[in-house]
Amino acid sequence: HGYGYGSSIFYPELFLYFPALLGCMGMSLVNCYKTLIVLIHVATAGVAYLSFSRILKSRNMGLTGALLYTLSVYRLIDIYTRAAIGEALAMVFFPLVMWGLNELFLGDKRKWYLAALGFTGVIQSHVLSTELVLFFGAIFGICYIGRLREKGRIFSLVLSAGFTILMNLGVILPVLQHAAYPFRVFSVDSTLSWWTVTLPKVFDIILANPAERTYAGVQNSGEMPCSLGFVMLVGLIVFVCCYCREQKKEMILKNSMFILLLGAFGIYLSSNLFPWDKIQEVPFLYRLVTSIQIPWRFLALSSALFSLVCAVGFHRICQGEESCRAVLLGAWTLAFLCAGVYINRYCEEGVIRYTQENQYQREQSQVDVLYFINVDHANSYRIWNRGNTFVPADGISLTDCYRMENLTAGFTWENFQETMLEESTWVDVPFTYYPNYKAFLPDGTELETRVGEQGVLRVELPLKETGKIEIAYREPWYYLVGRLAALLGFLGMSVMAGYKKGRIGIKKL
């Protein structure tokens, strides 16, 4: 509505440039969106196959793991029911993070760049998923911290962390700048226990109400499904049977059991069994955990972790080539069946629920206000109803008001107040407030800006009778520095990784 919305400051948009380019070339918005979804599916399958294959050192197990993960019902719910594209993009890189951490602590430390690439992919997709991945990555690192005593592993870890930060400065710096202001995203009040799931719902096979976007939870369990899919439960049972059957546990079984426990911890955190209420009663923990917003987000990580474990289970249970084929065929069929139940239900119910005519009216009340400044009575309705209107203080007359699509605006004012030389006055400009809006007099003098009524931009007028003011959005210089640093970091990491690969190749020759 012309007021501007800073979602790209808090929601990274790197992977939206390709569909945006298609739109610039003439493709419709709907087809750009569909293309993006197809690419997310393809990328998820490809990254999962490559990552799981290298972790498990088996292409067949990698294929099974990638199939289970790509068809994970929770991932499909993310894309279709919730349209949570940020989280769906982040899930593309979860297997790569797993591969990278595996190499850093258990495998080839010279492949430190894999973890950097994986974490970068998540950071450039979704900030909340980044928090969850860092949390689980820290647990993994603490459990295998003894491996850092091996020569060169600490250095590789530092390299990976350093390049991850460097390659994402273009995202990190704007978020840090805006964290100094009271945007609602930094002060979300949420009762986390309301947004948990019961254990039966995690492996639900009915998947009722797949077109309902109201969040699933204990308080509203009749709404959106929130399931990993029944195939995951079968795969976990199969793996546990294999683990108990083996007298001498091989390393792949031991590591997979650890991954299973980590995934089970994710389910525990997402469930109503975890004491979120007690944790939120502790003041210094309240703000720390409330940023999660919705605990069942942990199921995204459990989907990736369990996919690897189930792949090991389905392959290890086999006795002979023929039985192996039968087991894998059954597992793959069950995975397609779980996904098919969800997709079929979604298609049937979605056609009835959503139409071109009712969709905007249905969703406009759900317009995200997380990235508005946190002031009383600030919401999208109040702002939009103002229209393209400049609102001055009493005694101020405005002329030549304009607002352009390139985030510039201006007006000429005249002050009729008798106390104009003693009290400051102001004008509210029809822009949503963000700190990088600047107001200038014709001679270049910068004026003070702050939050106005209903969260719009307020310009403080100088103590003059009349004058002209121009407003423009100006990014700080360090934004550009952060982007250049990110580019140099990526190029530097590529050169270092390529150089080491070259040396390894020469040594082998």
Side-chain angles (χ1 to χ4, degrees), residues 147-212:
R147 299 300 297 268
L148 294 180
R149 290 178 294 185
E150 298 178 12
K151 183 179 178 181
R153 288 206 183 271
I154 292 181
F155 180 67
S156 295
L157 181 62
V158 171
L159 271 180
S160 182
F163 273 99
T164 298
I165 294 172
L166 192 62
M167 289 190 296
N168 293 284
L169 277 179
V171 171
I172 295 172
L173 291 177
V175 172
L176 289 179
Q177 183 208 7
H178 287 74
Y181 296 84
F183 286 96
R184 293 188 178 186
V185 69
F186 299 120
S187 58
V188 174
D189 291 319
S190 175
T191 304
L192 296 181
S193 61
W194 291 1
W195 309 109
T196 56
V197 294
T198 56
L199 289 182
K201 200 174 185 68
V202 175
F203 299 103
D204 177 26
I205 61 174
I206 299 176
L207 302 173
N209 304 315
E212 177 54 69

Side-chain angles (χ1 to χ4, degrees), residues 110-114 491-504:
R110 293 170 297 186
K111 295 181 179 179
W112 54 266
Y113 52 86
L114 293 173
L491 294 176
M493 188 187 70
S494 301
V495 170
M496 290 184 66
Y499 175 72
K500 290 194 173 185
K501 276 190 173 182
R503 288 189 62 186
I504 295 171

Side-chain angles (χ1 to χ4, degrees), residues 9-240:
I9 296 169
F10 307 90
Y11 244 98
E13 293 185 332
L14 176 64
F15 300 111
L16 301 184
Y17 277 96
F18 179 71
L21 179 61
L22 296 179
C24 292
M25 296 170 63
M27 183 178 286
S28 70
L29 181 61
V30 169
N31 285 331
C32 288
Y33 184 75
K34 290 180 179 179
T35 302
L36 176 61
I37 289 176
V38 171
L39 291 176
I40 290 174
H41 289 318
V42 173
T44 301
V47 172
Y49 171 69
L50 183 62
S51 301
F52 292 156
S53 296
R54 297 302 174 85
I55 294 173
L56 300 174
K57 296 179 174 56
S58 167
R59 292 184 177 180
N60 289 334
M61 281 194 282
L63 178 62
T64 301
L67 186 73
L68 293 172
Y69 185 57
T70 305
L71 296 177
S72 165
V73 176
Y74 179 85
R75 199 186 72 86
L76 298 178
I77 290 170
D78 251 7
I79 292 178
Y80 295 108
T81 300
R82 294 183 58 215
I85 296 301
E87 188 170 307
L89 281 167
M91 290 186 73
V92 172
F93 300 96
F94 286 178
L96 183 56
V97 171
M98 294 167 60
W99 180 18
L101 291 175
N102 182 75
E103 298 292 358
L104 274 177
F105 287 90
L106 304 175
D108 187 353
K109 58 183 177 293
R110 293 170 297 186
K111 295 181 179 179
W112 54 266
Y113 52 86
L114 293 173
L117 285 174
F119 278 107
T120 295
V122 176
I123 293 171
Q124 293 291 337
S125 300
H126 194 223
V127 174
L128 290 180
S129 293
T130 301
E131 295 177 2
L132 304 189
V133 168
L134 288 174
F135 175 62
F136 270 66
I139 294 175
F140 183 90
I142 291 171
C143 291
Y144 286 102
I145 197 169
R147 299 300 297 268
L148 294 180
R149 290 178 294 185
E150 298 178 12
K151 183 179 178 181
R153 288 206 183 271
I154 292 181
F155 180 67
S156 295
L157 181 62
V158 171
L159 271 180
S160 182
F163 273 99
T164 298
I165 294 172
L166 192 62
M167 289 190 296
N168 293 284
L169 277 179
V171 171
I172 295 172
L173 291 177
V175 172
L176 289 179
Q177 183 208 7
H178 287 74
Y181 296 84
F183 286 96
R184 293 188 178 186
V185 69
F186 299 120
S187 58
V188 174
D189 291 319
S190 175
T191 304
L192 296 181
S193 61
W194 291 1
W195 309 109
T196 56
V197 294
T198 56
L199 289 182
K201 200 174 185 68
V202 175
F203 299 103
D204 177 26
I205 61 174
I206 299 176
L207 302 173
N209 304 315
E212 177 54 69
R213 285 187 57 184
T214 301
Y215 288 155
V218 174
Q219 298 293 327
N220 52 354
S221 56
E223 304 295 349
M224 182 190 84
C226 203
S227 172
L228 299 180
F230 185 67
V231 64
M232 291 284 188
L233 178 60
V234 174
L236 295 177
I237 293 174
V238 168
F239 172 79
V240 171

Side-chain angles (χ1 to χ4, degrees), residues 378-503:
N379 61 61
S380 54
Y381 285 120
R382 289 177 179 270
I383 290 178
W384 296 347
N385 288 335
R386 294 168 65 108
N388 185 9
T389 304
F390 292 72
V391 180
D394 293 338
I396 302 298
S397 175
L398 300 180
T399 57
D400 301 325
C401 299
Y402 67 90
R403 181 185 69 184
M404 309 294 288
E405 292 184 357
N406 61 349
L407 299 183
T408 60
F411 58 86
T412 299
W413 92 92
E414 189 172 355
N415 193 337
F416 293 100
Q417 294 187 93
E418 295 181 359
T419 58
M420 66 180 179
L421 298 180
E422 299 177 7
E423 299 179 5
S424 64
T425 53
W426 47 263
V427 173
D428 281 352
V429 179
F431 281 139
T432 307
Y433 174 81
Y434 293 99
N436 294 330
Y437 278 113
K438 306 296 180 183
F440 303 94
L441 293 175
D443 63 2
T445 302
E446 184 175 342
L447 303 177
E448 181 183 352
T449 60
R450 57 189 176 93
V451 183
E453 185 181 357
Q454 299 173 13
V456 300
L457 178 69
R458 174 167 292 183
V459 177
E460 295 290 334
L461 300 180
L463 299 178
K464 297 172 62 177
E465 291 185 8
T466 186
K468 184 177 181 180
I469 290 178
E470 293 183 354
I471 299 105
Y473 188 85
R474 301 282 177 82
E475 291 184 340
W477 59 269
Y478 50 84
Y479 279 25
L480 179 59
V481 172
R483 291 168 187 147
L484 291 175
L487 177 60
L488 292 176
F490 179 76
L491 294 176
M493 188 187 70
S494 301
V495 170
M496 290 184 66
Y499 175 72
K500 290 194 173 185
K501 276 190 173 182
R503 288 189 62 186

Side-chain angles (χ1 to χ4, degrees), residues 302-361:
S302 295
S303 295
L305 296 168
F306 284 165
S307 295
L308 184 145
V309 174
C310 291
V312 174
F314 284 131
H315 281 262
R316 299 284 298 198
I317 199 70
C318 304
Q319 299 287 344
E321 186 174 343
E322 292 299 323
S323 64
C324 185
R325 289 179 180 175
V327 169
L328 292 182
L329 181 61
W332 295 351
T333 301
L334 191 56
F336 276 104
L337 180 62
C338 289
V341 169
Y342 165 76
I343 292 294
N344 183 62
R345 278 183 170 274
Y346 179 81
C347 290
E348 289 180 350
E349 296 182 19
V351 168
I352 299 172
R353 190 170 190 85
Y354 299 118
T355 67
Q356 184 176 357
E357 289 72 27
N358 74 10
Q359 178 64 4
Y360 180 75
Q361 285 74 20

